[in-house]
Amino acid sequence: MMINWNNMDTLTSIQELSKIKPVELAQVMAGENGAERVKKYTVPMAEGMAYNYAAKQVDDEVLSGLAKLAEEAQLVEKFEELYNGAVINTGEKRLVLHHLTRGQLGNAVVADGVDKRAFYTGVQEKVAAFARKVHAGEITNEAGEKFTTVVQIGIGGSDLGPRAIYLALENWAKKQGSFKMEAKFISNVDPDDAAAVLKSIDVAHSLFILVSKSGTTLETLTNESFVKDALKNAGLDASRHMVAVTSETSPLAKSDDYLAAFFMDDYIGGRYSSSSAVGGAVLSLAFGPEVFAQFLEGAAEEDKLAKNKDIFKNPAMLDALIGVYERNVLDYPSTAVLPYSQALSRFPAHLQQLDMESNGKCVNRFGERVNYQTGPVIFGEPGTNGQHSFYQLLHQGTAIVPLQFIGFRNNQIGMDVVIQDSTSQQKLCANVAAQIVAFACGKSDENRNKNFEGGRPSSIIIGDQLNARTMGALLAHFENKVMFQGFVWNVNSFDQEGVQLGKILAKKVLAHETDGALKEYSDLLNI
Amino acid sequence: MMINWNNMDTLTSIQELSKIKPVELAQVMAGENGAERVKKYTVPMAEGMAYNYAAKQVDDEVLSGLAKLAEEAQLVEKFEELYNGAVINTGEKRLVLHHLTRGQLGNAVVADGVDKRAFYTGVQEKVAAFARKVHAGEITNEAGEKFTTVVQIGIGGSDLGPRAIYLALENWAKKQGSFKMEAKFISNVDPDDAAAVLKSIDVAHSLFILVSKSGTTLETLTNESFVKDALKNAGLDASRHMVAVTSETSPLAKSDDYLAAFFMDDYIGGRYSSSSAVGGAVLSLAFGPEVFAQFLEGAAEEDKLAKNKDIFKNPAMLDALIGVYERNVLDYPSTAVLPYSQALSRFPAHLQQLDMESNGKCVNRFGERVNYQTGPVIFGEPGTNGQHSFYQLLHQGTAIVPLQFIGFRNNQIGMDVVIQDSTSQQKLCANVAAQIVAFACGKSDENRNKNFEGGRPSSIIIGDQLNARTMGALLAHFENKVMFQGFVWNVNSFDQEGVQLGKILAKKVLAHETDGALKEYSDLLNI
């Protein structure tokens, strides 16, 4: 099939969608009709999870319009192009292959003379073998003692995804007996970040993972020096404590400064790299390679669903389409991600990068300015904490913010108490159920200050428990959602030119090659 | 002077502001004019800090309009009413007295037959005396051993502000030798939150602070039970390990279950309570009462500036007015807070509550629907991390997001490395300077994908170092900013009725008194 990369505003389906009268959410979610919607408007996800969109501003007419949009924008066909190895990242002229780290969705992809699926699984095996040797005490510090801590040095995609997943699985792994090593993360060029982490660990028993694709990221190289100084000051040989995750062509790849180097390539962007060695090394060391393999399996299962042309069998695509409807037809500028799981405390920060860095673009794939809104602002915090904080605005503010809830029936650690006839887990789940209905239906009150207009749309992803498999599926769901939205908006979701100008100007400041306002700010900051 | 509580859209000054042609930021920030703006558009803050708004979309004409708005909306006069003890919180019919915890800005305020300044300082002295006894080993566990850890149990305002401030000052306190006890925080009703914290500490040497004004917050009481179970299981007497921060009328106030009770009252809302005993107990235990006193002094100095009628001597009011201009004239729906300081990692989450819970309202002080936008969505992460994440959208997205930077000339820990001829601290500062100019001025490129339109407004608060005094000043600045904006929008910034409906529905779920959609969601979540 011929793929047409057209701007969204040229599609007839989006114009038809704009003509449909928006759904009155408070009305359709009331009474038995609301109950029917909850039963009907749900799509299975991998690993027993489900995406429920009953409380979104959609009905059968809107959904039919979204199905047409999916077809007209050739979303599944574009995904097929992507996983079969087309140059989807047009800005940097690169393939986009993060799906291959967890499965083969289509044809073999050969690039640079290598079968890329074999390349990624080869790296995984190398990482797994290394991690097993560390856990078995075959790779140790100079004194022959086991490493107890692993520290990831990386920023952006080398930090946010792996950190979010580590926190998501830490207590689960401890509970099920697969916890191997504590992980820490150094990212910021603020010297207090590295200094604080170094003060909190026993460097003699710590293994550091330097993550930089190019081997030139200034923050990461700076923090590496920080760590090397600390190791030297402790009388240790830094090269016995460090591994690199980098590209084969980077200066780090063949250096004697590292115990080992695990390779990544140009076909996986930072924000999509959690299932590559960027996440693989730290997570395999922390939890064992078997847990990381489960994570990949969960992601692979979810990826398969993204191939379905039927929007009711493709949760990522449906989620993406509803998001486009909210952004471009209903004109809502931001979206909140609200996991009812303390373990997902940093998952919103990862999704913030994933979404805003991928689709925060004002030009299309061909560099032409688009005439419609693209990616929304993404933010969020775990519930129930957020309920006691910014939910006030979500319920009664002047602007509507679409919501994306995530909830699990069971906790991870298995400790709980019964207070007022319910467990904490039941209270947690009761709260997320209550919030969805409160946002959708509202409640009239003669005191307008206590009046809730409702009509505030939300969806929820529900699973049994947050574990390696469901975490993998969740990650893949959102990666694919963002990809599908990028296809609709006709932007390149896989480059990030917007981060370059600041880097160039910062170098000028450090070289004292500034004038005008930049010189004044530099002076104010005593640089 | 007679105070008029008028809706913003009735003010002639806001109508005049809408008629002014918006400033072309990229143009005015270029060349020598830009340098002049940086020198001119700055307002001193307390503790040697400054609020610089050169890169905001304002010029002398807009500023003159904002000064008129301040006058017409009687912002300083309304603040005077507030600190002199008027019933500013009209919804709950309460005074608003958090400023009194750190200073006396006007007349003595007597409520419930008590001088409230004396009440708050009395509580502070009680907290200080208690903390000193704990530090001196005069108050110990049953075995006569010193407490080493303090754990705050609270949610929302009892968690976010104190936690953000603890993280902000932890490394600074360690460096300067005033660090006394490690602090941890339990907030979420998710049982994994309390379980994980309890597993990470030595309960026998831990002191728990239960924070609940009413003594009825379900999350907090649930987590208290969690902790009591853990203490009991360790064979310990819970009452020897717990203190309460609560109101005098709460069931916790006179209970034998606590070593001590420190009182708060109804005149300080949760999100404004960091300078009350809510922040005072945990921060005095963690860092010593002297450090907490410095924090209060910094806040008090900043509060004094908020009394100035001249917008160029009142940084919080100017910041507030520029925010209103961005929200209501320029129509920007969100604002990012971007501290270039890893220690401020959770300060954006506190400001998110402070701002969105205070001004996320669609009715005015009298319960009437307003016809204009009120509080924006607030989000943020520390730089330079954010640069490698969501800044892509901030630079090149289709929507403009106003930015609020915070930066310090010096780090806290004093460890640093020189790489490529500059320290990490210099790199950190160079980056924030570079970002301001990149956002404002942009850069033309024939490749539209590498083109930066600029025109994206930001301000920066610059200080020498993040310490107890500057932290206090920062906190007060934002509290007062939010207050002034609430005055302009004519909303009650001090209640939060929007959180009630969810609570009521959650109780119904737990009592199995549900039907319709709520019953279906409850079933899906196995409640």
Side-chain angles (χ1 to χ4, degrees), chain A residues 232-253:
Chain A
K232 205 187 296 174
N233 293 343
L236 299 164
D237 174 359
S239 70
R240 296 286 302 261
H241 288 261
M242 304 197 85
V243 300
V245 175
T246 189
S247 69
E248 279 182 270
T249 53
S250 108
L252 316 176

Side-chain angles (χ1 to χ4, degrees), chain B residues 294-460:
Chain B
Q294 290 165 20
F295 166 81
L296 294 178
E297 284 162 23
E301 286 306 304
E302 195 64 40
D303 284 341
K304 281 184 204 155
L305 297 177
K307 295 173 71 173
N308 284 319
K309 291 201 76 161
D310 181 348
I311 63 169
F312 301 111
K313 292 181 177 167
N314 188 331
M317 189 163 75
L318 181 57
D319 193 355
L321 290 162
I322 294 173
V324 167
Y325 182 68
E326 290 174 332
R327 184 78 176 111
N328 299 104
V329 178
L330 303 175
D331 205 25
Y332 301 146
S334 58
T335 294
V337 182
L338 307 166
Y340 275 62
S341 162
Q342 189 63 26
L344 288 177
S345 62
R346 292 301 289 167
F347 194 51
H350 168 64
L351 296 184
Q352 190 174 56
Q353 175 187 23
L354 178 67
D355 203 319
M356 293 174 71
E357 197 170 28
S358 295
N359 291 336
K361 312 277 165 76
C362 59
V363 298
N364 70 8
R365 300 166 53 78
F366 312 107
E368 299 151 354
R369 189 73 156 84
V370 298
N371 296 313
Y372 43 82
Q373 298 292 325
T374 59
V377 164
I378 301 284
F379 69 100
E381 291 285 333
T384 57
N385 291 0
Q387 291 178 207
H388 295 256
S389 168
F390 56 89
Y391 278 35
Q392 165 65 40
L393 183 146
L394 304 182
H395 278 291
Q396 292 188 318
T398 47
I400 288 179
V401 179
L403 311 172
Q404 182 124 35
F405 290 105
I406 303 170
F408 300 95
R409 298 181 189 96
N410 302 298
N411 60 54
Q412 292 186 314
I413 301 179
M415 275 172 71
D416 209 336
V417 288
V418 173
I419 300 288
Q420 296 176 14
D421 299 324
S422 61
T423 62
S424 287
Q425 183 65 35
Q426 286 168 325
K427 292 184 183 77
L428 181 70
C429 288
N431 271 283
V432 69
Q435 289 295 332
I436 296 171
V437 173
F439 279 116
C441 299
K443 184 175 161 293
S444 297
D445 197 300
E446 282 188 16
N447 178 344
R448 295 278 319 214
N449 200 28
K450 296 174 193 269
N451 187 67
F452 291 80
E453 294 175 355
R456 292 167 189 246
S458 69
S459 63
I460 182 168

Side-chain angles (χ1 to χ4, degrees), chain A residues 188 190 192 225 342 346 353 362 367 369 381 388 392 396 409 412 419 448-449 453 495 498 524, chain B residues 188 190 192 225 342 346 353 362 367 369 381 388 392 396 409 412 419 448-449 453 495 498 524:
Chain A
N188 203 328
D190 180 347
D192 288 340
S225 289
Q342 189 63 24
R346 292 301 288 166
Q353 175 186 25
C362 58
R369 189 73 156 86
E381 292 283 335
H388 295 256
Q392 165 65 41
Q396 292 188 317
R409 297 181 189 97
Q412 293 186 313
I419 300 289
R448 295 278 319 212
N449 200 28
E453 295 175 357
D495 65 355
L524 279 178
Chain B
N188 203 327
D190 180 347
D192 288 340
S225 288
Q342 189 63 26
R346 292 301 289 167
Q353 175 187 23
C362 59
R369 189 73 156 84
E381 291 285 333
H388 295 256
Q392 165 65 40
Q396 292 188 318
R409 298 181 189 96
Q412 292 186 314
I419 300 288
R448 295 278 319 214
N449 200 28
E453 294 175 355
D495 66 355
L524 279 178

